[in-house]
Amino acid sequence: MSEVLVLVEHADGNVRKPALELLTLARRIGSPSAVVLGAGGQAAVETLARHGAEKVYLVDSAELDAFLIAPKAEALAQLAAAANPAAILITSGNDGAEIAGR
C-alpha cells in the first residue's frame, strides 16, 4: 500500500483534532504517516500512533519555529520528494492553507 503523508498541526505536542481525523481518512487511501514539524513533536508520537499513524516523521529546527510558513512548506516538500507518497493531506487551518498553497 502507498504511503499517505498527513501534516499534523500541534501545539507543543498537543495534536489538534482535524489532524487526527485526517489520519483516519488516510487509512482509506494507503498507509498513514504523520509529519510533525516544530518543537514539541516528540510528545505527539504516542497519540499519533494510537490514531493509526504507521510512521511518524519528526522535523525540528529553530527555523521552523522562528518563521511562519516558508520553512515548514520546504520541509514538507523535501520529505514528500524523498517518500514519494500517494497523497499529502493537510488541514485547512491558516498554516495548512498557506503550506498547501506553496
Side-chain angles (χ1 to χ4, degrees):
M1 218 184 256
S2 296
E3 185 172 23
V4 178
L5 298 180
V6 176
L7 182 61
V8 174
E9 285 190 46
H10 70 97
D12 295 321
N14 295 317
V15 180
R16 300 215 165 115
K17 185 178 177 185
L20 299 175
E21 291 169 351
L22 284 182
L23 279 173
T24 300
L25 290 173
R27 282 186 276 184
R28 295 180 183 174
I29 303 169
S31 301
S33 296
V35 178
V36 183
L37 305 175
Q42 186 63 40
V45 172
E46 186 178 320
T47 299
L48 295 168
R50 276 196 321 264
H51 285 86
E54 294 178 14
K55 260 189 221 177
V56 178
Y57 295 101
L58 297 172
V59 182
D60 186 11
S61 76
E63 234 182 21
L64 294 173
D65 295 323
F67 298 98
L68 294 177
I69 300 300
K72 292 176 182 177
E74 181 61 29
L76 182 60
Q78 288 177 5
L79 185 58
N84 194 23
I88 301 172
L89 303 180
I90 301 174
T91 59
S92 63
N94 290 335
D95 284 359
E98 281 288 320
I99 292 169
R102 292 176 184 250

